[in-house]
Amino acid sequence: MQQPQLDLRVLQYFVAVAEELHFGRAAARLHIAQPSLSVQIRKLEHSLGTPLLIRTSRSVSLTSAGDVLLGEAKRLMSAAERAVSLTREAASGVRGTLIVGFQANAAAELTPRILAAFKNNHPEIHVQMRSFDFADPTAGLADGSADVAFVRPPLPAADWLAMETLFIEPRVLVVASSSRFAGLSEVSVEQVVDEPFVARKAPDKWRDFWLATQARGGQPVRLGTQVATVDECFEAIMGERGIAFTQASTQRFYDRPGLSFIPVRDVPPSPLSIAWRTDVNDELAREFVETARTLASFGGVPNLADSRRGASPQFPDGRGNATSMAGRGTLC
């Protein structure tokens, strides 16, 4: 029996539908007509000989076969992107690529210094920063679309995953500036436990950490809405659909009119780690981890108190010299 030929373009269509679980939104994301998208998915199901989606008048969901194809399709698309990238690099004289996964503000002020130090040691290597949404707390390590990643534990357990903490910082509460909490100098979980919260669309363990479920004394979370990215989270907060906990460095990278950031006195802090796969022999990834480890040993993430006072924090540059972040752009 002849094996069906998989078209990467059609797989891209399927991934969009599988992630959105809505043909209209997927078509808009792909910039194609919805009827054409439906036809392509039907053809894919016919070629594979199995339904991939369960369609009703109100919802779309994945079959077990569709769930398997989603994971494999993402890996194929990532491999195809890497093949194109490596081919172009070979033509331009670049000798390799390292993909660094991250979310939000990555490793805060450490990020550009780690990248600069690694580039200084490996000028022939192209480092690509790739952003991931809340659905993948491993920032691309799980499906192999990143070689190394800046992550925020706790992550789902995996025997292939290794991590090392670079720094630990407090968590803060983010509310709309119109909130009754906005003027407070500090809050406790007990004060906000009955408030609606913005939840991350993420694996339960990671989602629960950012909802501070273990600090609620068994009281269930009241959900206001769910979001996939930092920007969606802040839009929901400014729209008064909920409040959220985040890491303190977020204030320095994402502060904007309409938001207030309040220290929280009774939730555990948030570690920022460098993570990599132990089942892949990747010398570049190991050297990037060592670069991050070395620079983190010098410090370089300012205290929240310094940021609130408006000070321009000083950071060692990896050679013991003090440098200021004043006037520097932030990453992503």
Side-chain angles (χ1 to χ4, degrees):
M1 180 177 178
Q2 186 177 4
Q3 293 292 325
Q5 298 297 310
L6 293 176
D7 184 327
L8 284 176
R9 179 177 57 88
V10 176
L11 286 180
Q12 181 184 21
Y13 291 172
F14 169 72
V15 168
V17 175
E19 290 181 340
E20 299 289 345
L21 294 178
H22 190 283
F23 275 86
R25 289 195 298 269
R29 168 175 155 182
L30 295 164
H31 305 290
I32 63 173
Q34 183 175 333
S36 175
L37 176 60
S38 297
V39 168
Q40 293 294 337
I41 299 301
R42 290 288 187 190
K43 286 182 178 179
L44 177 62
E45 290 177 315
H46 178 73
S47 70
L48 294 173
T50 184
L52 302 171
L53 301 166
I54 300 171
R55 306 160 177 85
T56 71
S57 59
R58 294 186 176 183
S59 67
V60 176
S61 58
L62 288 169
T63 64
S64 57
D67 190 51
V68 169
L69 181 61
L70 176 59
E72 295 302 319
K74 285 183 174 181
R75 278 186 277 275
L76 281 172
M77 291 166 61
S78 177
E81 288 177 8
R82 190 173 183 85
V84 171
S85 177
L86 290 173
T87 302
R88 288 174 174 170
E89 287 165 6
S92 66
V94 175
R95 294 176 58 185
T97 293
L98 183 74
I99 299 175
V100 181
F102 73 100
Q103 291 178 332
N105 60 337
E109 287 84 2
L110 275 178
T111 312
R113 297 195 294 117
I114 293 170
L115 296 177
F118 184 82
K119 188 66 177 177
N120 184 61
N121 292 330
H122 300 279
E124 79 285 2
I125 302 300
H126 172 60
V127 178
Q128 180 183 343
M129 294 292 291
R130 183 173 295 178
S131 177
F132 291 83
D133 63 25
F134 294 151
D136 182 10
T138 73
L141 291 177
D143 65 4
S145 54
D147 301 308
V148 65
F150 295 116
V151 299
R152 295 250 172 203
L155 301 188
D159 56 9
W160 48 261
L161 180 65
M163 293 183 289
E164 182 165 329
T165 299
L166 299 183
F167 60 84
I168 298 173
E169 61 178 323
R171 280 188 281 176
V172 297
L173 182 71
V174 193
V175 302
S177 296
S178 56
S179 167
R180 62 192 175 93
F181 301 107
L184 299 180
S185 60
E186 187 180 66
V187 295
S188 67
V189 174
E190 185 179 7
Q191 286 175 270
V192 298
V193 75
D194 292 325
E195 298 296 315
F197 268 74
V198 178
R200 304 181 182 207
K201 294 179 181 177
D204 290 347
K205 186 175 184 179
W206 203 63
R207 175 178 177 271
D208 289 348
F209 175 82
W210 290 105
L211 290 171
T213 56
Q214 292 187 341
R216 292 172 176 267
Q219 193 160 334
V221 178
R222 181 184 167 198
L223 289 182
T225 188
Q226 298 188 72
V227 295
T229 66
V230 173
D231 286 319
E232 285 183 11
C233 180
F234 289 159
E235 288 299 323
I237 292 170
M238 289 190 290
E240 300 185 349
R241 287 180 283 157
I243 60 180
F245 294 115
T246 189
Q247 61 267 20
S249 57
T250 301
Q251 180 175 3
R252 302 191 297 274
F253 288 79
Y254 286 88
D255 197 7
R256 63 190 71 178
L259 292 177
S260 290
F261 295 79
I262 311 161
V264 186
R265 61 174 171 265
D266 54 356
V267 292
S270 168
L272 184 284
S273 299
I274 187 78
W276 65 98
R277 295 191 68 113
T278 59
D279 59 348
V280 176
N281 184 21
D282 190 332
E283 182 64 28
L284 283 177
R286 288 196 295 271
E287 292 189 22
F288 189 89
V289 169
E290 183 57 36
T291 301
R293 179 188 294 125
T294 300
L295 287 175
S297 70
F298 287 101
V301 178
N303 293 327
L304 182 61
D306 291 336
S307 298
R308 287 200 304 266
R309 287 195 298 267
S312 178
Q314 299 290 315
F315 305 93
D317 62 5
R319 297 184 295 274
N321 303 315
T323 60
S324 172
M325 290 299 291
R328 292 195 191 180
T330 60
L331 181 72
C332 299

